[in-house]
Amino acid sequence: MQVVVLPDHGWREAWRDAARRLAAAGIPPEQVTWTTAPGLFAAAPLPPERPLSAPRAFVDLADAVLCHRDPERFALLYQLLCRLRQDRRVLDNPADPLVARLHGLAKAVRRDSHKMRAFVRFRELPAAGARRRFAAWFEPDHLIVARNAPFFARRFADMDWTILTPDERADFIGGELSLGAGVPRPDLPDDASEALWATYFTNIFNPARVKLGAMRSEMPVKYWRNLPETRQIPAMLADSERRVAQMRSAAATVAPGRAAQISERYRAAMPKPPEKIDTLDAAAAAARTCTRCDLYCHATQTVWGEGAPDARLMIVGEQPGDQEDLQGRPFVGPAGDVLAEAMGKAGLDRDAVWLTNAVKHFKFKPQMTARGGKRRLHQNPDRQEIDICKWWLDLEQRFIQPKLTLGLGGTAAYALTGRKEGITRRRGKVEDTAAGPVLLSWHPSYILRVPDRAAADRARAQLVEDLTLAAELVA
Ligand code: URA
């Protein structure tokens, strides 16, 4: 029996050397014992070195398999090498049990290497010389540090770094790569870039696409504790149900097939527009046949304002949404629910105000759903559409003569004031316009869309605050 004791480090080179000598000497696999446990067996001297060639595919396979933790890998590879000496086509048969098993081991190593290249996170250490210094702790499944160290050396050639793992370590100092024994988990400093990773990860996290199985397979849980970005995962998962419900209620619904018929019937039954627009009712009737811009072509109907014609407060949104387009009334969908709740808290009665939109037709983009249905995705109206529709908004303001107009969101702000700045710094303040004072606040749809719960709660509270101020100003 030939016993080969391989060293803890450099076993890949040692196995190659021993396997070459043994195979060239014709020693059959059953007469060789491979081990990495010195002392258990007495190593016998190896036969002298003789030339031996092996197919390239075997060399590549062996390179990967040697990094696997399976203690049988040395013997299995040697078996294959001996068989290749009889028949060089063995490797062409993927169904061969030995070949299949070795390919399985190689695949696991390649996958582990891929994870290592993706999930090693360096933390900066105080620099000792001109080069910046970094260290990373990683826990691979297999013994892959030596295999992957050259990749990191190429990628991070201009810095000094160390990758530490429980079994092996790689150091790249002054451009020289060296390999050594593993260490217990060290205490590495937090890195400034971790906050960036965490923010990036939080931003790309889509609660509606949470597929824990896929997440765990792409980024197995065992890597999570060493990745700064994944510290957010438990909190994000805990909040994902609420966020999905919120996204769902804010999303466009599937347009029922009847939308087109409603639209046709509505246009056919439309009375002739009045010749003179001298009342609010005449303005409403004229608006029903509006073709001033192209939005009427696809929308179901004009959504005119509603409420008290002598309202002291006029509230202006952006444009009708999916539900509003079908029902012909403003703010009757999810954004309407948010507004109704906020108005209730501010003590405002929907029937006592005039509720309308800056743009009177629904602008949307048809989109196929995963199930082959169609839905209508809200699109912001552009400036030209807002400017054209201002004709109707001006008429509403002229006939209602509100003491105050509350504009919700950027579109209403632009329509009412002509100023293009967003409302972040303008909300809660009254601005003077030719048509009277205008107060600005958040749009309810923004509250539904904003991903961060705290920010949404803040915006909701501010909307109530602004509605309360509006109620006081018109009292
Ligand atoms: N969003 C608006 O701006 N107006 C509506 O009527 C509905 C949603």
Side-chain angles (χ1 to χ4, degrees):
M1 178 64 68
Q2 173 84 46
V3 175
V4 184
V5 180
L6 298 168
D8 267 353
H9 291 284
W11 74 91
R12 294 192 304 175
E13 296 73 16
W15 180 87
R16 276 189 216 110
D17 177 57
R20 209 181 294 123
R21 290 168 187 254
L22 293 166
I27 314 280
E30 53 283 8
Q31 283 183 25
V32 184
T33 296
W34 300 90
T35 178
T36 50
L40 220 53
F41 301 95
L46 289 167
E49 201 172 340
R50 297 229 302 264
L52 179 102
S53 73
R56 180 77 235 167
F58 174 80
V59 174
D60 291 344
L61 182 68
D63 270 350
V65 171
L66 284 169
C67 299
H68 202 282
R69 271 188 202 282
D70 189 334
E72 284 189 55
R73 64 195 184 280
F74 304 119
L76 294 171
L77 279 172
Y78 185 63
Q79 264 183 49
L80 181 61
L81 180 61
C82 292
R83 280 180 60 192
L84 278 167
R85 299 210 68 211
Q86 315 296 319
D87 177 2
R88 288 181 79 86
R89 287 166 312 167
V90 176
L91 262 175
D92 298 342
N93 178 10
D96 181 283
L98 177 61
V99 172
R101 175 147 177 215
L102 287 167
H103 275 305
L105 299 183
K107 190 171 167 197
V109 167
R110 289 195 193 104
R111 182 177 153 83
D112 203 29
S113 295
H114 174 72
K115 300 290 179 212
M116 179 174 181
R117 291 175 188 203
F119 299 146
V120 160
R121 296 280 182 272
F122 286 105
R123 285 135 193 252
E124 187 152 17
L125 306 176
R131 283 159 70 92
R132 293 174 74 189
R133 288 173 64 220
F134 294 82
W137 169 248
F138 190 67
E139 293 165 274
D141 284 340
H142 301 291
L143 306 162
I144 55 170
V145 172
R147 179 176 171 85
N148 288 288
F151 163 84
F152 288 96
R154 281 193 303 279
R155 180 108 180 246
F156 302 108
D158 59 345
M159 62 194 216
D160 289 347
W161 52 258
T162 298
I163 298 176
L164 303 168
T165 77
D167 304 284
E168 305 168 276
R169 66 182 287 164
D171 295 274
F172 187 71
I173 312 292
E176 290 292 321
L177 182 62
S178 59
L179 302 167
V183 294
R185 185 193 179 97
D187 213 7
L188 294 176
D190 273 358
D191 190 273
S193 59
E194 290 193 358
L196 270 180
W197 271 108
T199 309
Y200 169 74
F201 194 72
T202 311
N203 286 343
I204 59 164
F205 180 81
N206 181 347
R209 297 260 162 88
V210 177
K211 290 196 181 118
L212 279 178
M215 245 166 106
R216 288 194 187 109
S217 118
E218 276 310 304
M219 193 193 276
V221 176
K222 73 188 202 68
Y223 298 115
W224 290 15
R225 64 177 163 219
N226 293 324
L227 295 175
E229 62 270 36
T230 51
R231 287 188 206 138
Q232 336 284 325
I233 289 180
M236 291 193 299
L237 287 179
D239 199 30
S240 64
E241 217 169 279
R242 181 195 67 84
R243 283 186 56 197
V244 169
Q246 195 179 64
M247 282 163 75
R248 229 181 246 143
S249 72
T253 56
V254 175
R258 66 179 199 279
Q261 286 131 285
I262 294 174
S263 181
E264 236 162 65
R265 241 187 288 137
Y266 162 83
R267 286 198 186 109
M270 197 106 67
K272 282 228 161 331
E275 286 184 359
K276 233 169 81 196
I277 301 179
D278 50 3
T279 62
L280 186 61
D281 285 345
R288 271 184 211 111
T289 58
C290 180
T291 54
R292 295 170 70 89
C293 75
D294 286 345
L295 292 185
Y296 82 95
C297 301
H298 303 290
T300 311
Q301 54 191 311
T302 303
V303 178
W304 187 248
E306 68 176 29
D310 57 351
R312 288 156 166 258
L313 176 64
M314 177 159 150
I315 299 179
V316 182
E318 183 197 64
Q319 61 162 339
D322 182 77
Q323 295 291 323
E324 288 80 10
D325 171 77
L326 294 172
Q327 295 187 39
R329 296 179 56 207
F331 285 107
V332 290
D337 293 341
V338 174
L339 181 61
E341 191 192 318
M343 284 176 72
K345 286 188 179 154
L348 280 168
D349 179 3
R350 180 174 170 127
D351 293 336
V353 304
W354 185 258
L355 208 48
T356 192
N357 284 301
V359 171
K360 310 288 194 238
H361 280 118
F362 178 33
K363 181 174 179 183
F364 62 92
K365 196 164 82 179
Q367 198 194 47
M368 296 306 282
T369 64
R371 294 202 179 133
K374 258 196 220 150
R375 61 187 199 157
R376 307 188 298 173
L377 270 197
H378 165 277
Q379 299 263 278
N380 291 328
D382 60 33
R383 292 245 160 82
Q384 204 186 2
E385 288 153 352
I386 302 169
D387 289 342
I388 291 172
C389 216
K390 181 144 164 55
W391 159 260
W392 300 115
L393 188 60
D394 284 346
L395 284 174
E396 282 175 297
Q397 279 189 303
R398 171 147 34 108
F399 293 123
I400 289 165
Q401 294 278 312
K403 269 184 87 174
L404 177 73
T405 303
L406 174 65
L408 304 177
T411 298
Y414 169 69
L416 291 166
T417 68
R419 287 174 52 196
K420 296 174 189 160
E421 302 97 286
I423 55 163
T424 310
R425 275 193 243 130
R426 295 168 72 192
R427 66 143 284 276
K429 296 186 201 117
V430 178
E431 297 182 17
D432 279 330
T433 73
V438 168
L439 176 66
L440 300 178
S441 191
W442 301 119
H443 194 286
S445 300
Y446 162 73
I447 295 171
L448 286 172
R449 261 196 331 263
V450 65
D452 170 359
R453 186 178 205 158
D457 289 346
R458 217 165 28 245
R460 205 182 285 269
Q462 287 172 336
L463 177 62
V464 173
E465 220 173 82
D466 299 336
L467 284 161
T468 307
L469 174 63
E472 282 164 13
L473 290 174
V474 301

